[in-house]
Every structure is written in structure tokens, then in C-alpha cells.
Amino acid sequence: MRGGASIYAPFGELIPNLTQLALKTNNFSSTNALGGITQTIGTGWTIAALISYNCAIPQTQLPYKTGYNNNVAKYYLHSAVCLGDVLDSLGYRQIMFQGTSADFAATRGFFTSHKIEMRDDKYFQSHKILQGNFQGMWGIKDSVIFGFVKDYLQTYTDSKPFVLYISTMDTHHPDGFVDTQYCQGFEKTFENAVRCSDKIISDFVMWVQNSKFKDNTSIIILGDHKSMKQNFFPANTKRSIYNAFIGTHFPQEKLKNRLISHFDVTLLFLESLGISIESFGLGRNPLRSQTLLESLGEQNLAQELKIPSKIYESFWNLNPKKL
């Protein structure tokens, strides 16, 4: 790690390209150095993080009367208004690309309930477009998924604006996956899984920045949650979640010495598209005001998030208008 345990992991030498991208563009941090997003209650695993980024609410509890069942999985947070619903109302085409099955953790139900088309491993298998060495540890490897995204962009002729969500999996615990075809000479270690992912993602960003979309495209790179890799980070390492907002024009004086959560990112998504509002769900626009983390403090916010909420339970009801 650059500078040892005092630097916010996983920034540093493991992701040199992404570190430079964050430094050169917009990166929110709780110090004057490179930093990241603070993980709080209901955001610390993948589907919870995706919900929090998109809806500005945590995934803390399911409806106490129904629990988790097939209907809940199919219509996940169906009545919540989330980023996908807003962008759909504004005419955006939206697609989620991922190399694993979207049936896991109700990912398909969540995204399709909020107007986002899902292209997962089942989609690519059914369309018979998988060729060569495409298999990673958890499904289709990241370099292949980014290849599909490039193919989509190169053939996109629709006049509608679009948002593409891309989920990467090569650094997933327990040991990650090293794409030795893309990162030749890399030994199969967790460190190299992170380094290879750094190369794959930054290469894609560079490709977009040299494409026909370069002048009117924003790129947002986020970690979903803190790494779950066991016994990898020193005990005294203060960790936060990577973020970089590329192609946006955020005031630099608003970025440092800040405490932002997943919920606040929802507003930054909208801000990057030129939509500036003060609040959305539990999110507060850090470019315009204090966040809840800043006004309440981390412990107080965590306690508030544990309190049952009738409003939160209502988000799991079916929305007849969507049906």
C-alpha cells in the first residue's frame, strides 16, 4: 500500500491507474489525501450497495409480514423511486451488464423493477455470443464483459441518451480471479487480481475517452463495499470505498474533508448529468450541503438506520403503474 496502513486501502500501488484517475478528476475523501466513501448500515454487501447507490436507502430489512419470497425477489423494492425510474422518465436507455447470474440476491428483480434492462451470463449464453476463453471464477470474466460493452457502444445508433451500468467480479473474495490472458505474466494471487482489474477498468476508461462519446459522457467508478478478503489488510488500516467521477465539473473545494455515504452518491449520479437537487431519499447533495454523515455523525446515523420504518416497508409493495 502506498504509505503503509495510514493510507486508505485499497488505494495505492495495487490500483495505480485508478488512483491516478481519481487524483486527476473528482474524488470525494474524508481527508486532503486520496480517500473514499464511508460504508454504513445496510450497504456492506453487493446488492445492498447497489440499492443504496441507486435509491439512496439501505437494505436493512425485508417486510416483516412477508419476508423473502419469489414475489419479493421479482419485484424488489418495487414501489421505491430510484435512479433508474428517474432516468427512464427522462428518456434514457438503461442496461446493466454483468458476468454472473442476475438471479442471485434478486439482482434481476431489483434492476428490472426500476426500468433497467439486465444482460447477465444467461443473456450472453442464450444469444450464443460467448467464444474462446470467457470463463472467470464467478461466471464470465470482466475483460469479456467490457468487450461486450464496447461492441454495444460501437453499434449504438439510437438518438436516446443512455446509461450503462457495469458490474465487475474479478476481485471478488475469497481469492479473486487473475485474467492471465489479459494480464500476461501475472501470478494467481489476490494482489494480482486487484492489479489486473485496475488495468482492465482503466483500459476501458481510456477507450471511452478516445471514442465518439468522449465529449458528452460521464464515467463514474465505484467500489460496491469494502473488500471482504480475510487477513489481507493490516488491522490498523483505515478503509473506505473507491470513487471517481470522470467527465464532470465538480468544485474541487467541495470534495476534500468530506464524509459521504452510498446514499449521497445517488445525487452525484444526477449531478453528473446536469440534474442538481438537494436531497433524494437519505442522500444529501455534498456539493450543496452537509451529508447526513456530516450532520449526525457515523454512530448516530447507524442507530437511526436500525429503527423500523413503515415508509421503508411500503417500498416493497407492488406499484400498479409499473405493472
Side-chain angles (χ1 to χ4, degrees):
M1 300 298 169
R2 188 181 65 176
S6 62
I7 293 296
Y8 286 72
F11 304 113
E13 295 177 1
L14 286 182
I15 52 169
N17 297 301
L18 293 179
T19 295
Q20 288 303 310
L21 275 174
L23 287 171
K24 291 177 180 178
T25 55
N26 299 291
N27 165 257
F28 286 85
S29 72
S30 56
T31 68
N32 282 317
L34 193 65
I37 297 163
T38 298
Q39 182 172 300
T40 188
I41 297 293
T43 65
W45 61 100
T46 298
I47 186 61
L50 293 175
I51 289 168
S52 301
Y53 280 144
N54 281 272
C55 308
I57 55 175
Q59 207 279 279
T60 54
Q61 56 185 336
L62 293 170
Y64 70 93
K65 289 182 180 178
T66 58
Y68 186 84
N69 55 44
N70 289 336
N71 203 48
V72 169
K74 185 176 181 180
Y75 303 108
Y76 212 78
L77 286 169
H78 200 251
S79 285
V81 175
C82 300
L83 182 68
D85 304 301
V86 174
L87 297 182
D88 178 72
S89 72
L90 296 174
Y92 280 80
R93 175 81 186 276
Q94 301 179 86
I95 303 176
M96 171 69 164
F97 289 83
Q98 69 175 50
T100 57
S101 172
D103 295 322
F104 181 74
T107 305
R108 188 187 312 281
F110 171 68
F111 281 100
T112 57
S113 290
H114 298 284
K115 309 297 185 180
I116 300 170
E117 178 187 342
M118 176 60 64
R119 295 193 181 184
D120 65 343
D121 62 342
K122 289 185 177 180
Y123 173 91
F124 296 115
Q125 289 168 5
S126 66
H127 284 73
K128 302 186 186 302
I129 55 178
L130 291 170
Q131 299 177 354
N133 181 14
F134 64 84
Q135 190 69 39
M137 177 177 289
W138 297 96
I140 303 169
K141 58 188 180 180
D142 293 345
S143 63
V144 174
I145 292 298
F146 278 113
F148 291 145
V149 176
K150 288 180 181 179
D151 291 341
Y152 177 83
L153 288 172
Q154 287 172 318
T155 57
Y156 190 82
T157 57
D158 199 327
S159 60
K160 296 178 68 172
F162 60 83
V163 175
L164 305 183
Y165 308 83
I166 308 164
S167 176
T168 63
M169 293 296 295
D170 285 357
T171 59
H172 200 285
H173 77 98
D175 299 311
F177 170 79
V178 180
D179 187 344
T180 53
Q181 186 174 3
Y182 195 96
C183 299
Q184 296 182 8
F186 280 44
E187 296 181 2
K188 294 182 179 181
T189 65
F190 179 74
E191 292 94 328
N192 283 338
V194 177
R195 289 190 177 98
C196 187
S197 184
D198 172 69
K199 176 175 172 55
I200 292 170
I201 296 170
S202 59
D203 283 354
F204 175 75
V205 172
M206 186 178 299
W207 181 87
V208 173
Q209 291 177 326
N210 288 299
S211 73
K212 62 182 179 181
F213 303 106
K214 63 181 180 179
D215 294 328
N216 59 352
T217 298
S218 296
I219 302 172
I220 300 173
I221 309 174
L222 301 164
D224 52 355
H225 53 76
K226 291 188 289 188
S227 173
M228 295 181 180
K229 175 65 175 175
Q230 298 295 311
N231 303 316
F232 181 72
F233 302 99
N236 62 334
T237 302
K238 185 176 181 180
R239 295 196 287 150
S240 56
I241 301 167
Y242 180 92
N243 69 96
F245 296 81
I246 305 168
T248 58
H249 301 285
F250 294 166
Q252 292 300 304
E253 67 274 11
K254 300 285 188 179
L255 308 184
K256 304 305 176 187
N257 295 310
R258 302 303 303 272
L259 287 174
I260 72 166
S261 69
H262 288 69
F263 316 134
D264 308 313
V265 170
T266 312
L267 290 100
L268 295 171
F269 270 117
L270 294 170
E271 189 80 39
S272 71
L273 298 174
I275 304 168
S276 185
I277 55 177
E278 292 188 7
S279 63
F280 189 107
L282 298 178
R284 301 294 181 266
N285 190 334
L287 302 178
R288 299 175 65 121
S289 66
Q290 281 192 323
T291 67
L292 290 183
L293 271 175
E294 291 171 330
S295 60
L296 297 178
E298 192 169 348
Q299 291 185 345
N300 287 337
L301 177 59
Q303 289 301 316
E304 291 292 329
L305 293 175
K306 294 177 183 178
I307 299 173
S309 166
K310 293 293 185 181
I311 294 176
Y312 184 85
E313 286 186 9
S314 72
F315 294 154
W316 298 89
N317 298 332
L318 292 182
N319 183 343
K321 293 182 179 178
K322 288 186 179 180
L323 293 177

